[in-house]
C-alpha cells in the first residue's frame, strides 16, 4: 500500500502544482487513499520531495529534478552572454567563456542533468566536459552551438 501511495504521489506532483500537504491529501483521498497529514509528511520526507518556485511565483512540491526544456530555455541567456566558442577533441568538449563566466555556464550545464555529460570542470574562462565517446562529444557540441544560434 505504501509503495502504491508513494507512486501516486509522484504521479500527482508531476501532473499538478501542489502547494500544500492538505492539497496532496485531498487528491490522494480522491484517488482512494485514506491518509493522514502525518503520513503525507512522512512520505514527503522519505521521497525527498522539495518545494520549487513556479513561474507564477508560488511554491509547489517537486522531485527536485529539473525539467530539461525549462532549464535549457533559461540557460540560453547565460550561454549567449558568456560563451565565446565550443569545440571538442575526442571525448572532451571545451567551452571558452568570457573571463569569470565559466562557473555560471558550467552550473547551468550541470543542472540539465544530461546523460551525455559524465563530468565537468570549470576554471575562470574555460570549461572541460567529459563525454562517454567522441560521437557523444560531437553531438553535445552541436547541440550547444544550436542553443547559441537560436
Amino acid at each position: 500500500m505504501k509503495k502504491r501511495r508513494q507512486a501516486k504521489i509522484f504521479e500527482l506532483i508531476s501532473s499538478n502544482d501542489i502547494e500544500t500537504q492538505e492539497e496532496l491529501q485531498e487528491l490522494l483521498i480522491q484517488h482512494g487513499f485514506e491518509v493522514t497529514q502525518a503520513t503525507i509528511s512522512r512520505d514527503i520526507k522519505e521521497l525527498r520531495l522539495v518545494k520549487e518556485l513556479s513561474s507564477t511565483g508560488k511554491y509547489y512540491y517537486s522531485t527536485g529534478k529539473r525539467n530539461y526544456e525549462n532549464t535549457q530555455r533559461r540557460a540560453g541567456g547565460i550561454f549567449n552572454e558568456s560563451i565565446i566558442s565550443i569545440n571538442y577533441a575526442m571525448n572532451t568538449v571545451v567551452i571558452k567563456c568570457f573571463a569569470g563566466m565559466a562557473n555560471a555556464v558550467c552550473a547551468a550545464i550541470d543542472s540539465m542533468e544530461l546523460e551525455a555529460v559524465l563530468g565537468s570542470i570549470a576554471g575562470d574562462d574555460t570549461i572541460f566536459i567529459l563525454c562517454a565517446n567522441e560521437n557523444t562529444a560531437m553531438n553535445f557540441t552541436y547541440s550547444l552551438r544550436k542553443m547559441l544560434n537560436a
Side-chain angles (χ1 to χ4, degrees), residues 55-89:
S55 58
T56 62
K58 296 182 180 180
Y59 285 91
Y60 63 94
Y61 283 105
S62 165
T63 61
K65 302 268 188 223
R66 300 198 188 257
N67 180 314
Y68 174 72
E69 290 80 20
N70 288 341
T71 304
Q72 188 178 24
R73 222 175 293 124
R74 286 194 309 256
I78 188 113
F79 289 174
N80 286 324
E81 305 262 332
S82 307
I83 295 177
I84 297 169
S85 67
I86 306 166
N87 291 296
Y88 72 97

Side-chain angles (χ1 to χ4, degrees), residues 22 25 103 145:
E22 291 77 19
Q25 182 179 21
N103 277 310
R145 286 179 182 165

